[in-house]
Amino acid sequence: MGEGDHFHKDLLLRLFLISCFLPFPAVLSKSHYHDFVVAPKVYTRLCEEKEILTINGQYPGPTLYVNRGDRLLVNVINNGPYAITIHWHGLLNPRNPWSDGPEYITMCAVQPGANFTHDLRFSTEEGTLWYHAHSDWTRWMLHGAVVVYPKIGATYPFPAPDKEYVAVLGEWWTINVMEMFLGRVRDGGEFNNSDAYTINGQPGDMYSCSAAGTNRFLVEQGKTYLFRLVNAAMTTSLFVAVANHSLTVVGRDGSYLKPFDIELVVLSPGQTVDFLLHANQTKGLYYMAASSYTPDGAATLADNTTTAIVVYEGYNTSQVTPSTPDLPAVDDIHAAYEFVSKERSLASVDHPVDVPTEIDTRLLYTMSMNLGLCPNSSCKNLEGTRYAASLNNVSFVSPLIDILEAYYQSLNDIYTTDFPSFPPYLFNFTSETYSNELVYSDAGTKVKVLNYNQTVELVFQATSLLRSDAHPMHLHGYDFYVVGRGFGNFDPEKDPLNYNLVDPPLENTIAVPYLGWAAVRFRANNPGVWLLHCHLERHYTWGMVTVFIVKDGPTKETSMLPPPSYMPKCLDPDTLGTKPILTLN
């Protein structure tokens, strides 16, 4: 064990002892410690062996379990070949952006042979969250679920299930994903589609050489099971259903919903869904199946369905084909919209809502696919262009050091604070016809500054430029209320009249309707630097990204915590030229 490891072990012991004396009754929260060892391991999928990065030798990574209000200390030890960071998706971690994880936003990457300890404080979250790598495209293999139980002494707001299962949805590539990523960043071309979708790391019966590893969920007739779904896929939303079973949805993104029954659920990348499955069918085998939802109709895979099997206890499973659910067409916009339109917050005494009704700041952000120009026509696309993506026509460019450090140290020339509150160009955003000049975006490292405790309404507006999608927009450090959504162009006069300000769902990742809009509201009461981005990985890489800087409040308790002394150091700027940097102009 190296000197750095001894330092971190000593630090963790001190943090744990300090936590024992925090001014909270010991019965209400606990502190947990985990080592995450990131290291290569060989897996066989789709008839081929492939070495991937794993966490503690597991793919997906280990599921973490906490209670609401707990503290979690995770020491990430990088024994892999790539510099990495880990993000804790959906965790607010009040006043502590230093452990949030996105590379070049709140920290620089943990280099091979180094480690970093995340100090994670759970507050109002309850349900299913997850963690994943937030550096380059390492997320596809480094991810796992976080289960947040009710606080100690409390219960679920629905009848307790007899058992719980976690199902992490993902993707598998047979090619070297990191080589593909670096190549596409250099040449500006389209990223390769994956070769399979997976449930808990397995493609399932419908893919070659995959039947033996298909996941099985054992159920007993007459009992109820809570399934916690995570969409860790990189490139697509997913429909999920269980043959012959209705699903009772009870939660989304670490918050409870008013329960509703439905035949299928849809999850965009980054989202979680909790549902109850009542084992009330004839004893048998039933597929849980997931297939892609790509609203423009461009199927991402030839073999589009991953499966697991729900097995009724006591059933003879030999030589029987499981029942298969009917899943929607790949472009079934209405099926996706029917699901999200049913979502309502629980809005109970124990789980109240606090929707801002008086708004200080109104923002409208367009989400667009774009093109960028390349020096000397050096890129792969026609006429020397590269793919880009933008918010309000700004394609984000990562700085050389992380924005959080630059903000905290008051460093100049790392970012600018002029991210536009509204689109710089007004046009019919969802029309099939548009001027070709609109497809070219501007590059910049631009952020939006918010005062502490400001109330914000942010409307996401899709555009038809090049190719639209149901963009999953994720805000770090915050949940937000989804007060409205619809198709076409947002109408600031008419659409707010139909907002739900009574029991809107509380989410951290919103799937904006295809060629439509979504309105969210939140109170800027978590000081720090917080990333906002599309969770489709190619769109993130191409620049559909910005940052909120939320200023400190008037007191120590409403101000950002100071950084830990062991933050990873950014590489010397002279060495950064060896790594491809996304530049559009």
Side-chain angles (χ1 to χ4, degrees):
M1 181 180 292
E3 180 179 350
D5 289 315
H6 284 296
F7 171 78
H8 278 262
K9 291 290 187 182
D10 179 67
L11 170 70
L12 288 166
L13 177 61
R14 294 183 185 185
L15 288 172
F16 182 83
L17 292 173
I18 291 171
S19 70
C20 296
F21 296 96
L22 291 174
F24 300 102
V27 70
L28 294 183
S29 63
K30 294 181 179 179
S31 293
H32 310 262
Y33 168 74
H34 293 276
D35 278 332
F36 269 14
V37 180
V38 176
K41 184 176 179 179
V42 175
Y43 278 76
T44 301
R45 296 289 187 273
L46 305 180
C47 315
E48 298 180 18
E49 286 190 347
K50 179 182 176 71
E51 185 176 77
I52 67 170
L53 286 182
T54 63
I55 297 175
N56 295 351
Q58 300 179 46
Y59 166 75
T63 298
L64 301 179
Y65 297 89
V66 298
N67 289 87
R68 176 171 174 163
D70 282 359
R71 185 180 188 185
L72 184 58
L73 302 168
V74 181
N75 182 25
V76 177
I77 303 165
N78 186 5
N79 290 339
Y82 308 116
I84 60 164
T85 65
I86 301 292
H87 167 56
W88 308 89
H89 190 113
L91 178 66
L92 307 184
N93 213 18
R95 304 171 48 222
N96 186 22
W98 304 101
S99 286
D100 189 47
E103 185 181 19
Y104 295 122
I105 306 300
T106 64
M107 64 184 293
C108 287
V110 180
Q111 298 299 314
N115 64 314
F116 177 75
T117 298
H118 293 264
D119 184 4
L120 310 171
R121 316 290 182 98
F122 292 79
S123 53
T124 59
E125 306 89 352
E126 194 169 323
T128 306
L129 308 178
W130 65 300
Y131 61 86
H132 59 83
H134 215 301
S135 46
D136 300 333
W137 273 44
T138 52
R139 174 167 78 79
W140 86 269
M141 48 188 167
L142 297 176
H143 55 256
V146 180
V147 173
V148 186
Y149 292 122
K151 63 184 178 182
I152 297 172
T155 60
Y156 291 133
F158 48 81
D162 295 288
K163 190 174 181 179
E164 300 187 12
Y165 286 111
V166 171
V168 179
L169 311 174
E171 294 182 78
W172 184 268
W173 278 263
T174 56
I175 63 171
N176 186 309
V177 175
M178 293 303 291
E179 288 183 2
M180 181 266 292
F181 162 75
L182 293 174
R184 297 298 79 78
V185 168
R186 290 189 187 98
D187 65 28
E190 174 66 277
F191 292 93
N192 300 52
N193 290 326
S194 61
D195 297 287
Y197 300 130
T198 59
I199 299 176
N200 287 342
Q202 293 286 351
D205 286 358
M206 297 185 186
Y207 291 95
S208 300
C209 307
S210 300
T214 300
N215 274 273
R216 291 174 174 250
F217 300 113
L218 186 64
V219 301
E220 185 176 341
Q221 194 175 46
K223 292 190 175 181
T224 299
Y225 298 82
L226 176 61
F227 280 82
R228 300 176 179 273
L229 267 61
V230 176
N231 187 355
M234 301 281 282
T235 64
T236 187
S237 301
L238 292 164
F239 291 116
V240 181
V242 178
N244 297 1
H245 289 74
S246 179
L247 313 177
T248 302
V249 177
V250 295
R252 159 84 91 179
D253 282 7
S255 296
Y256 292 120
L257 298 172
K258 288 182 171 68
F260 62 90
D261 295 331
I262 199 165
E263 297 304 310
L264 62 89
V265 301
V266 61
L267 302 88
S268 292
Q271 292 183 318
T272 71
V273 168
D274 300 337
F275 68 78
L276 298 172
L277 182 140
H278 306 287
N280 55 12
Q281 297 299 302
T282 303
K283 288 184 178 181
L285 305 181
Y286 301 88
Y287 273 133
M288 172 187 286
S291 64
S292 67
Y293 167 51
T294 52
D296 68 350
T300 54
L301 292 177
D303 297 319
N304 192 18
T305 304
T306 178
T307 54
I309 303 175
V310 174
V311 181
Y312 274 69
E313 188 174 319
Y315 183 71
N316 183 356
T317 63
S318 61
Q319 297 181 345
V320 174
T321 300
S323 299
T324 304
D326 292 325
L327 290 168
V330 68
D331 60 349
D332 194 334
I333 297 169
H334 299 292
Y337 196 78
E338 178 186 4
F339 173 73
V340 299
S341 66
K342 293 179 179 291
E343 296 176 335
R344 298 286 186 275
S345 282
L346 198 57
S348 65
V349 173
D350 292 330
H351 301 279
V353 298
D354 184 20
V355 187
T357 55
E358 300 294 328
I359 300 300
D360 300 319
T361 300
R362 297 184 186 275
L363 307 171
L364 176 65
Y365 288 1
T366 53
M367 305 164 298
S368 300
M369 303 304 299
N370 302 98
L371 294 175
L373 299 176
C374 298
N376 302 317
S377 299
S378 58
C379 289
K380 191 172 186 177
N381 295 320
L382 294 175
E383 300 177 358
T385 62
R386 65 185 306 135
Y387 286 114
S390 69
L391 296 172
N392 278 355
N393 205 52
V394 178
S395 294
F396 188 83
V397 177
S398 293
L400 298 182
I401 69 168
D402 61 280
I403 291 176
L404 177 58
E405 180 179 354
Y407 170 63
Y408 188 77
Q409 301 290 351
S410 299
L411 302 180
N412 296 322
D413 302 323
I414 305 300
Y415 61 86
T416 62
T417 59
D418 57 344
F419 186 87
S421 297
F422 298 94
Y425 307 113
L426 297 179
F427 58 100
N428 185 348
F429 297 123
T430 56
S431 172
E432 293 182 358
T433 60
Y434 48 81
S435 169
N436 286 337
E437 294 178 355
L438 293 171
V439 304
Y440 292 93
S441 59
D442 297 323
T445 309
K446 299 186 178 186
V447 309
K448 170 65 65 178
V449 178
L450 299 174
N451 291 323
Y452 181 82
N453 223 32
Q454 265 185 283
T455 54
V456 179
E457 178 177 302
L458 170 56
V459 176
F460 295 106
Q461 174 67 61
T463 76
S464 58
L465 301 182
L466 294 185
R467 171 189 171 185
S468 190
D469 213 318
H471 298 287
M473 299 303 300
H474 172 50
L475 177 58
H476 291 217
Y478 283 88
D479 292 323
F480 44 68
Y481 290 101
V482 183
V483 296
R485 66 183 107 204
F487 295 104
N489 296 323
F490 175 72
D491 187 326
E493 299 297 328
K494 295 180 180 179
D495 287 325
L497 300 178
N498 296 316
Y499 280 178
N500 176 7
L501 302 179
V502 177
D503 58 356
L506 185 64
E507 303 180 4
N508 58 62
T509 307
I510 170 68
V512 181
Y514 177 69
L515 290 177
W517 59 272
V520 304
R521 289 185 175 185
F522 63 96
R523 184 179 296 275
N525 56 6
N526 192 8
V529 171
W530 304 108
L531 183 64
L532 173 69
H533 66 95
C534 180
H535 224 277
L536 295 169
E537 205 69 12
R538 49 170 48 91
H539 296 176
Y540 183 94
T541 303
W542 291 335
M544 196 176 288
V545 178
T546 190
V547 171
F548 284 120
I549 292 180
V550 180
K551 293 181 179 180
D552 285 344
T555 66
K556 180 179 179 181
E557 290 73 23
T558 59
S559 298
M560 189 172 67
L561 293 171
S565 60
Y566 53 88
M567 291 296 296
K569 300 300 182 183
C570 297
L571 295 177
D572 187 289
D574 291 338
T575 70
L576 289 173
T578 62
K579 180 176 180 179
I581 301 295
L582 179 61
T583 55
L584 302 179
N585 293 332

